[in-house]
Amino acid sequence: MSHEEIRVYGYVKGLPSEGYIALLNGLEGSLFQMDCLEHEGDTLNVEYEGPFFLIDDFLETLLPLLPDTAEGRMDYIDHHAWEMVRYTIEGREVRSKNINLNSVLEKYHQE
C-alpha cells in the first residue's frame, strides 16, 4: 500500500508575511509537515502527499491569521477512505463540502 494515502492541494490569497511566520510558529512542534507550504506575495500554497495531514489543526491555526478579504480553497483527499472534502475559505470563515471521488474521476474516463 502506498504511503501517500492523504493528498491536500490548495491556496489561500490574502495571508501577509507576518501571518505566514505566525502560522509556521503555531504549527511548530506538531506533527505537521512544513515543507508542504509555500508563501509567495500574499498567497499561501499547500501541496501535500503523505500518510496524514492534520487539516483541523491546520485550519484552526490559519484562520485567525487571515484578514477579512482572504479567500481560498483546499481539497483534502483520503485515498484509503475514497473521499474528498473541499474547504472554501472566505475571510476567517471556512465551509466544507464532501465530494464524491467517483464523480470527479468519471469525466477522465470518458475522454
Side-chain angles (χ1 to χ4, degrees):
M1 180 182 296
S2 169
H3 293 288
E4 285 81 31
E5 292 182 11
I6 302 296
R7 295 174 192 243
V8 180
Y9 301 102
Y11 69 91
V12 179
K13 292 182 180 181
L15 181 67
S17 295
E18 58 272 8
Y20 179 63
I21 292 167
L23 175 66
L24 294 178
N25 289 335
L27 296 172
E28 190 175 48
S30 68
L31 298 174
F32 195 78
Q33 311 290 330
M34 301 295 189
D35 61 346
C36 71
L37 304 176
E38 183 178 295
H39 190 253
E40 290 183 33
D42 71 344
T43 301
L44 173 69
N45 292 300
V46 180
E47 190 172 316
Y48 175 80
E49 296 181 8
F52 63 89
F53 186 95
L54 304 172
I55 189 75
D56 292 332
D57 292 349
F58 175 75
L59 291 172
E60 185 177 301
T61 305
L62 173 66
L63 291 174
L65 304 172
L66 295 175
D68 293 337
T69 56
E71 64 179 13
R73 185 175 77 190
M74 266 185 246
D75 291 339
Y76 178 94
I77 304 163
D78 183 338
H79 288 276
H80 181 70
W82 199 246
E83 61 187 15
M84 178 174 128
V85 179
R86 174 159 293 155
Y87 294 91
T88 304
I89 297 169
E90 293 179 6
R92 293 182 185 100
E93 301 291 321
V94 65
R95 290 187 321 265
S96 63
K97 177 182 178 182
N98 290 334
I99 305 220
N100 183 327
L101 273 178
N102 289 328
S103 298
V104 171
L105 298 174
E106 237 174 59
K107 71 177 185 175
Y108 296 108
H109 291 288
Q110 296 175 5
E111 290 181 359

